[in-house]
Amino acid sequence: MNLYHLRYFVTLAKLEHYTKAAEELCITQPSLSHAISLLEKELGVTLFQKEGRNIVLTKCGKIFLEKVQESLKILDDSILELKSISNGEGYIDLGFLRTLGTNFVPKLTKNYIESNKDKKINFNFYTEATTTDLINSLKEQKYDMIFCSKREKEKNIEFIPVSTQKLVLIVPSDHPLSEYDSITLEQTIEYPQIVFSEKSGLRSIIDHLFDTIGQKPIIAYEIEEDQVIAGLVSNNFGIAIVPYMPILKFMNVKTIEITSPTWERNFYLALLKDKTLTPIAENFKSFVIENYTL
C-alpha cells in the first residue's frame, strides 16, 4: 500500500468508472486495475463491485473511503502548512518579562508584522514574572525564544542584547521624597521599601547597589513582579526601586531619577544554541538583530 494507491482509490470511488478514473489520474487503465487489486489483496476485502457498466463501492469500500479521505485531508493540510512555514509564515511562541509587555515587545512585533505584510504571521505571547522562569521554559522548548535579563553560566543559551532600562525610585505622590526629581540611594534609607523577592534577578543587583553605599534598606515587603510593586507603592505600602516602565506615568506614584549609584538593566533576546528554528523564527531573530541590538 502506498500513497498513490490511496489517491487512486479515492478517485475511482468518486467516478465509479475505471476508464474515466484512469484518464483523470493520467495513468493507464491496467495500471489502475493493478493498483486496486494490490490494495484489496493487502486489505483482504473487496472494495468495488460491478453494477452495470460502472462499479460501486462495497460496504467495506465505503468504510475504507471515509477513513482514507480523513487521512488524506490531514496529510494535505500538513503539507500546505509546512509549505507555508518554509515560506516564512506561521507563528512564533514568544516569552518575555511582563515589564517588557507594555511597550517594547508590542512595538517590536508590530514592526515585524508590518515589514512582512505579504506573509501570514502570528505570535503566541507568553509572559512570566522572572528571567529564571522564562529560561526554564525555554529549556523545556515551550518557547521559540524569549526576551529576558542575562543569566551567567548558561552555556547552551545565546543572549543578544536588545534594550536597556534604568532603575528609578518610585514613591507615593504625597510622600516626603516626592518633592525631588533626582535623589541618591542614601536618601531612601530611612523609609520602608518594597523589594524584589530572592527569585528575581533584580534582587541581587539592587542589594549590590546598597552594599556599595554600605547601607541596608528597611524591607517592608518582598514581591516578584515590578508592576505589583508599583501598585503597592501607589497605595502607600512603601517606596521601591524598580526598572522604569511607561505604565508608571499612569499610576499614582512619583518617579525619581537615582543619581548615585546609577545602574542600567540590559534586556536580551535569548535562544537555545542547539535548537533549529522554523524559518519564521529565524527571520524574526534576524529582524531583531538588524534593528534592535545594542
Side-chain angles (χ1 to χ4, degrees):
M1 186 185 303
N2 61 47
L3 187 58
Y4 287 113
H5 290 175
L6 295 177
R7 295 195 186 278
Y8 294 170
F9 165 71
V10 171
T11 301
L12 185 56
K14 178 182 69 174
L15 298 176
E16 297 182 333
H17 196 283
Y18 271 100
T19 302
K20 292 179 181 178
E23 289 176 354
E24 182 167 314
L25 292 166
C26 298
I27 60 174
T28 64
Q29 183 175 328
S31 296
L32 177 58
S33 298
H34 181 64
I36 297 302
S37 294
L38 289 176
L39 201 54
E40 290 179 326
K41 183 178 180 180
E42 183 172 348
L43 294 170
V45 297
T46 300
L47 298 173
F48 295 95
Q49 63 187 23
K50 287 186 177 181
E51 190 173 278
R53 294 184 178 181
N54 290 354
I55 57 168
V56 294
L57 287 167
T58 63
K59 182 176 181 180
C60 290
K62 291 178 181 178
I63 294 171
F64 190 54
L65 177 63
E66 181 182 351
K67 300 302 180 183
V68 169
Q69 286 177 320
E70 289 177 3
S71 300
L72 290 178
K73 185 180 186 306
I74 292 172
L75 177 62
D76 290 341
D77 288 347
S78 298
I79 291 171
L80 288 174
E81 183 178 358
L82 288 178
K83 285 183 177 180
S84 174
I85 289 173
S86 70
N87 190 40
E89 298 182 336
Y91 63 90
I92 298 172
D93 290 318
L94 184 64
F96 51 92
L97 291 168
R98 292 193 179 100
T99 188
L100 295 174
T102 57
N103 187 50
F104 178 77
V105 169
K107 281 190 175 180
L108 185 155
T109 52
K110 180 183 178 183
N111 289 341
Y112 178 68
I113 291 172
E114 289 183 344
S115 68
N116 292 274
K117 290 182 178 179
D118 58 324
K119 297 178 180 179
K120 295 179 181 179
I121 295 172
N122 288 297
F123 286 89
N124 292 326
F125 295 115
Y126 304 91
T127 62
E128 299 204 34
T130 68
T131 289
T132 299
D133 292 334
L134 283 168
I135 287 180
N136 288 339
S137 294
L138 180 66
K139 289 178 179 178
E140 294 170 2
Q141 299 194 32
K142 293 180 180 178
Y143 310 138
D144 293 308
M145 58 193 72
I146 58 175
F147 288 107
C148 61
S149 299
K150 187 175 184 179
R151 286 280 301 275
E152 302 298 333
K153 300 180 180 180
E154 292 287 355
K155 296 181 180 180
N156 296 323
I157 296 179
E158 178 184 10
F159 289 95
I160 303 167
V162 294
S163 179
T164 60
Q165 192 175 44
K166 288 185 177 182
L167 288 176
V168 295
L169 178 71
I170 55 173
V171 302
S173 297
D174 58 354
H175 192 274
L177 294 179
S178 63
E179 63 183 270
Y180 297 96
D181 293 321
S182 62
I183 206 168
T184 64
L185 205 56
E186 286 91 341
Q187 291 173 271
T188 70
I189 293 299
E190 64 179 288
Y191 302 102
Q193 299 197 23
I194 305 166
V195 302
F196 286 94
S197 67
E198 297 283 352
K199 190 177 180 181
S200 171
L202 280 174
R203 176 61 180 271
S204 61
I205 292 168
I206 295 173
D207 284 349
H208 177 70
L209 292 179
F210 279 103
D211 289 341
T212 62
I213 65 171
Q215 300 277 359
K216 296 288 184 183
I218 302 169
I219 298 177
Y221 301 94
E222 296 182 69
I223 306 294
E224 279 189 14
E225 297 184 41
D226 42 18
Q227 293 185 39
V228 176
I229 290 176
L232 291 172
V233 171
S234 69
N235 285 279
N236 288 288
F237 282 87
I239 66 173
I241 297 168
V242 297
Y244 176 76
M245 304 169 280
I247 196 174
L248 295 176
K249 296 178 182 178
F250 307 102
M251 302 184 73
N252 188 33
V253 299
K254 172 70 181 292
T255 301
I256 305 171
E257 178 187 2
I258 300 174
T259 57
S260 175
T262 60
W263 184 85
E264 283 188 340
R265 179 190 192 185
N266 289 332
F267 291 111
Y268 298 80
L269 173 66
L271 312 94
L272 293 175
K273 291 180 179 178
D274 58 354
K275 181 183 178 183
T276 301
L277 296 173
T278 60
I280 184 176
E282 190 67 55
N283 291 343
F284 180 65
K285 174 187 174 183
S286 298
F287 177 82
V288 173
I289 291 173
E290 290 171 8
N291 296 281
Y292 290 88
T293 49
L294 300 176

